[in-house]
Amino acid sequence: MEFYFNDQDTERLFNFIQQKGGSFIPDIFFDTEMFKTIADSEEFLQYRQTLSTHFFLIAEAYSFENLSLSMNRFIEQPAYAVNQRKGGPYIDFSFYRGFTAESVIPYKRSEIDIYSKFIHVDGNGEFAATENLKRYYNDIVAYIKSCCKAVKKGRKTYWISVDVLREIE
């Protein structure tokens, strides 16, 4: 799902997710085989503005395996990254920093998504997205929609926060 939030909307979304027991992990390289969760909304906004546009969202409500990290063999110093779709499961978030002048909605876009299947950490097969993951995802989507107005452009509906609509009009 695509949506358009400003920094204040994103901070409120982060706080909502933290209240639901969720933790964001930035999609960056780590020095060790341990990922870092983001502590608060201020740190989250700082990561989003300077280090990463993509984040993994984990929560006890739906995760039952650790995420898998692997070392990048093409970089001299140790650099570990989360393996996409391995372990978890998790929710994908992207918060883009800009837009083109030709954009239908002239504002930075965000996305939330889940994969239909994940791979076990031990590499022995796939597993489907759990019902708990789908419920958690749907709760977040409902929250996002509650902060937005549905704007139809052509055949597509865009979910734009009320504050962003004021900014772009």
Side-chain angles (χ1 to χ4, degrees):
M1 173 195 174
E2 296 177 10
F3 59 99
Y4 296 82
F5 270 17
N6 64 18
D7 288 347
Q8 292 78 26
D9 296 321
T10 302
E11 183 177 358
R12 287 189 290 269
L13 173 63
F14 178 89
N15 292 333
F16 170 78
I17 289 169
Q18 269 204 322
Q19 289 173 354
K20 289 183 60 60
S23 297
F24 280 99
I25 300 164
D27 189 5
I28 61 172
F29 286 121
F30 299 97
D31 296 336
T32 66
E33 210 169 345
M34 298 283 299
F35 58 77
K36 176 193 184 329
T37 58
I38 296 174
D40 56 37
S41 59
E42 186 176 309
E43 183 181 29
F44 176 71
L45 290 173
Q46 186 176 21
Y47 265 90
R48 200 190 91 206
Q49 290 170 352
T50 60
L51 296 172
S52 185
T53 58
H54 181 249
F55 298 85
F56 305 96
L57 174 61
I58 57 172
E60 276 189 36
Y62 59 80
S63 296
F64 57 89
E65 290 186 355
N66 289 325
L67 296 181
S68 174
L69 280 83
S70 60
M71 188 167 79
N72 185 321
R73 65 179 191 244
F74 301 107
I75 298 176
E76 216 172 289
Q77 44 193 328
Y80 296 86
V82 174
N83 292 314
Q84 299 270 338
R85 292 185 53 225
K86 201 163 187 182
Y90 62 84
I91 296 173
D92 258 328
F93 265 101
S94 294
F95 298 92
Y96 300 105
R97 296 182 186 126
F99 57 92
T100 66
E102 296 82 29
S103 296
V104 174
I105 306 298
Y107 204 83
K108 54 190 174 188
R109 178 174 53 93
S110 299
E111 293 179 15
I112 179 175
D113 203 5
I114 54 174
Y115 291 105
S116 60
K117 292 184 179 176
F118 293 85
I119 302 165
H120 286 289
V121 172
D122 63 10
N124 289 328
E126 291 183 326
F127 61 93
T130 64
E131 289 304 312
N132 287 344
L133 173 67
K134 292 174 189 174
R135 271 193 296 279
Y136 200 97
Y137 171 83
N138 288 335
D139 287 349
I140 295 171
V141 168
Y143 172 83
I144 291 168
K145 287 182 176 181
S146 76
C147 301
C148 293
K149 182 175 178 187
V151 176
K152 199 145 178 97
K153 298 244 183 197
R155 292 185 217 177
K156 189 166 180 181
T157 301
Y158 297 88
W159 293 95
I160 307 171
S161 85
V162 175
D163 290 342
V164 170
L165 280 172
R166 279 191 221 116
E167 287 179 45
I168 64 176
E169 289 180 336

